Amino acid sequence: MGMKYRQYLAGERIYGCSTCKTHLATIHSMISRAFNGQHGRAYLFDGVVNVVEGDPSDRQMTTGNHTVRDIYCCKCGQKMGWKYDRAYEPSQRYKEGKFILERNLLMDVQ
Ligand SMILES: [Zn+2]
């Protein structure tokens, strides 16, 4: 497993890791602010960069059963949220392949 080069994002608003400021996502890829993470508010993103994905596991949430992978900052290893591999409820399928980032673990890096 080789170390990836970190990507740098450009745009008017960039969210980064609160620990090491590694770029993670832009406001343009944000789908929703109305999510809850394990540490409070969380955002749903269409795509993120500079994260490492953990192994899949099934997690029961208020919206049903999901298969998710925790995601970690590729530089400092902080757990940032998770990725939805699969949603079992048809109404939740739009989340598949999308990413949750915890608001409290993000900082504006611009
Ligand atoms: Zn970091």
Side-chain angles (χ1 to χ4, degrees), residues 23-35:
H23 291 188
L24 297 171
T26 68
I27 193 150
H28 299 292
S29 60
M30 183 186 285
I31 298 169
S32 172
R33 294 175 191 271
F35 275 74

Side-chain angles (χ1 to χ4, degrees), residues 84-102:
Y84 290 102
D85 271 9
R86 184 170 175 206
Y88 290 79
E89 295 291 328
S91 65
Q92 304 300 316
R93 293 255 161 84
Y94 72 96
K95 294 187 286 195
E96 292 181 349
K98 309 288 194 294
F99 299 83
I100 289 288
L101 294 176
E102 305 259 3

Side-chain angles (χ1 to χ4, degrees), residues 16-22 24 50 72-78 80:
C17 170
S18 63
T19 302
C20 71
K21 298 182 183 171
T22 290
L24 297 171
N50 300 325
Y72 304 87
C73 172
C74 76
K75 186 182 182 198
C76 73
Q78 174 166 268
M80 301 303 307

